[in-house]
Amino acid sequence: MILFLVCLWAAGGASREDVLGQVIVRAVAWGAVVVLALLAPAEPRRIDRMVPALLFASLALVLLQLIPLPPALWAALPGRGSFAPVDTLAGGPVWRPAAIVPGAAINAAGALIVPIATFALMRGVARSDDGRLLATLLALVVASALVGVIQFAGSGLSNPFVNSGGEPSSVFANRNHFALFLAIGCVLAPAWAGRGERLRAWRLFVAAAVTLLLLLLIVASGSRAGMLVGVVAVAAGAALIAPRARLSFGGLPRWAAPAAMAAFALVIVLLIALSYGENRAMGIDRALNASVNGDMRRRGLPTVLSMIAQYFPVGSGFGGFDPLFRLHEPYDLLKPTYFNHAHNDVLELLLDGGLPAAALLLVAPVWWARRSITAWRALAAAPLPVVGSVILFIVAVASMFDYPARTPMIMALLVVAAAWLSDAGALPDAGEESMRIRRSMRTT
């Protein structure tokens, strides 16, 4: 699992199908599936059945769009009437799949081997090894941050496995995805610090220093969505570590914890203000100087909504946004660069998958909410389900402004987070766990 994650970190930071990294991560994912088929664990980890159900339902939906349909049935699907002249060029009616761009749908189905392999590998990770998995993920985030620091220093370093846009984005192709990865680290750091029976002061200081570094890089990255999820991640991380801190430092005065939190918040504000004063806070600059008319996300929104209405309830087919948007693109949106995605994955999934995708988009949040309530209630018992809940939430928030879940690295993180969150159903009572920890501390 660790080797697989390292591979994804190195080559899985892009979502385009034509980058070199896709060949590497998919080959490794298929290899992992083959190895697991031969060497499957005797007693695999139990994961909530909703996780594989949603995963394989997504795969089934993509494959369903690739089934060839009779010409009359295909022509009757919403939005297909404008393609009727193609039959004349083809010499007569032909059988076609529901996906208007079949090659893109095939690529979308192939991309799902990464989360499937992650799920299979996660079933072989014992819960006693979750601490090492957490530490590995945090180390990968810190490594991404260090690469980002080198890029911000003007080194010109770039990842050969992704399509870099020329902006500092570490091992990712997109600064929004990079900022989201850093925000995830702001949740992983306090969770790592809180591992064990007793909260160690040195771990707490290391986690605080790492969080400060990640926040400064998020602000410097220029990602407005990254700043939003970064704030959410830091707040969730503070809430996550608070119960463990109260138990470990219960002998301190009551004002000590609020004072420490206030001091940490003040340090964050001062460092960000210093970065802004030194023109290193590109994210704040972009947020303050954002032009509503100049933001392609807003300008293209009416066109995307009209496309959803035109192809609903069947959908236009997964992966085909780029060529279809060019078909519907009004003249006032034409520019030298192309609009590769809707930059709102909820809307793009509705466009691609229609009503079936909408059903999955309703089922998944309901499962997340139910498990998250249980996880937060039992926070004193185990932090990892809460970590999984927060990761899923901030990826969902970031997906309202971009498409991070299409990158292999974030795909794998989603599956790991879902597996951690699914453990919430088997957690012991939070109050009993708190009493057990207090008794252990007294004995110590």
Side-chain angles (χ1 to χ4, degrees):
M1 182 66 168
I2 290 175
L3 291 174
F4 182 62
L5 290 173
V6 170
C7 174
L8 293 182
W9 177 86
S15 60
R16 278 180 49 168
E17 70 279 3
D18 57 350
V19 297
L20 178 60
Q22 296 288 6
V23 178
I24 297 174
V25 298
R26 295 187 192 184
V28 173
W30 276 108
V33 170
V34 171
V35 170
L36 285 170
L38 299 175
L39 305 173
E43 296 182 3
R45 177 180 185 145
R46 296 188 63 182
I47 299 176
D48 192 315
R49 66 183 65 181
M50 185 58 72
V51 177
L54 288 170
L55 180 58
F56 287 102
S58 302
L59 176 61
L61 178 56
V62 180
L63 295 178
L64 187 64
Q65 292 185 340
L66 291 171
I67 299 176
L69 302 176
L73 178 58
W74 188 89
L77 297 180
R80 272 65 175 179
S82 59
F83 298 97
V86 177
D87 286 338
T88 303
L89 299 175
V94 296
W95 287 50
R96 294 191 179 88
I100 297 177
V101 188
I106 293 173
N107 174 68
L112 291 177
I113 186 59
V114 173
I116 290 173
T118 307
F119 173 75
L121 287 167
M122 196 65 189
R123 282 173 56 85
V125 177
R127 286 181 173 82
S128 59
D129 288 328
D130 278 342
R132 283 189 285 177
L133 181 58
L134 173 67
T136 299
L137 290 174
L138 180 58
L140 293 178
V141 174
V142 173
S144 294
L146 295 179
V147 174
V149 169
I150 295 174
Q151 291 176 338
F152 281 116
S155 69
L157 180 67
S158 62
N159 188 345
F161 300 118
V162 303
N163 53 308
S164 176
E167 56 196 17
S169 54
S170 187
V171 295
F172 290 88
N174 183 307
R175 63 184 168 195
N176 291 321
H177 306 167
F178 172 45
L180 172 63
F181 196 55
L182 297 177
I184 291 173
C186 294
V187 181
L188 297 175
W192 169 81
R195 296 287 294 177
E197 292 289 336
R198 186 178 179 88
L199 181 61
R200 304 293 181 183
W202 71 269
R203 279 179 171 248
L204 191 59
F205 285 121
V206 170
V210 168
T211 302
L212 287 174
L213 171 65
L214 300 181
L215 276 176
L216 290 176
L217 285 175
I218 290 173
V219 173
S221 70
S223 172
R224 291 166 291 183
M227 291 195 301
L228 174 61
V229 296
V231 171
V232 174
V234 171
L240 189 148
I241 200 68
R244 186 71 64 174
R246 283 196 297 267
L247 292 173
S248 300
F249 307 115
L252 297 176
R254 290 187 176 181
W255 54 265
M261 295 296 295
F264 184 67
L266 180 61
V267 171
I268 291 175
V269 172
L270 290 176
L271 288 176
I272 292 177
L274 180 61
S275 298
Y276 182 70
E278 296 295 327
N279 295 322
R280 299 293 183 182
M282 189 184 300
I284 297 178
D285 290 336
R286 294 186 71 237
L288 295 177
N289 301 318
S291 171
V292 175
N293 293 328
D295 192 336
M296 189 60 187
R297 292 176 176 87
R298 294 186 178 91
R299 295 177 61 201
L301 181 59
T303 305
V304 173
L305 293 177
S306 67
M307 292 170 64
I308 293 174
Q310 180 171 344
Y311 293 106
F312 200 82
V314 177
S316 61
F318 287 94
F321 179 86
D322 172 28
L324 286 176
F325 186 82
R326 300 188 195 199
L327 177 67
H328 296 271
E329 186 176 19
Y331 286 113
D332 59 341
L333 292 184
L334 292 177
K335 57 179 185 176
T337 57
Y338 70 100
F339 197 43
N340 60 339
H341 286 287
H343 293 271
N344 183 322
D345 255 353
V346 174
L347 295 181
E348 189 162 344
L349 287 174
L350 291 176
L351 170 63
D352 292 346
L355 186 60
L360 292 178
L361 287 173
L362 290 175
V363 172
V366 171
W367 174 83
W368 170 85
R370 293 182 61 184
R371 287 300 189 194
S372 296
I373 292 173
T374 304
W376 280 101
R377 286 177 176 174
L379 177 57
L384 280 184
V386 174
V387 174
S389 172
V390 175
I391 291 175
L392 292 173
F393 177 74
I394 62 177
V395 172
V397 171
S399 296
M400 300 293 291
F401 306 95
D402 214 78
Y403 45 94
R406 297 174 185 268
T407 62
M409 185 70 230
I410 305 298
M411 282 186 191
L413 272 174
L414 285 174
V415 176
V416 173
W420 282 344
L421 180 57
S422 71
D423 290 341
L427 289 177
D429 179 76
E432 293 179 359
E433 182 68 8
S434 298
M435 291 300 297
R436 184 189 67 79
I437 295 175
R438 288 192 178 97
R439 287 194 294 267
S440 175
M441 290 171 59
R442 291 194 191 100
T443 303
T444 304

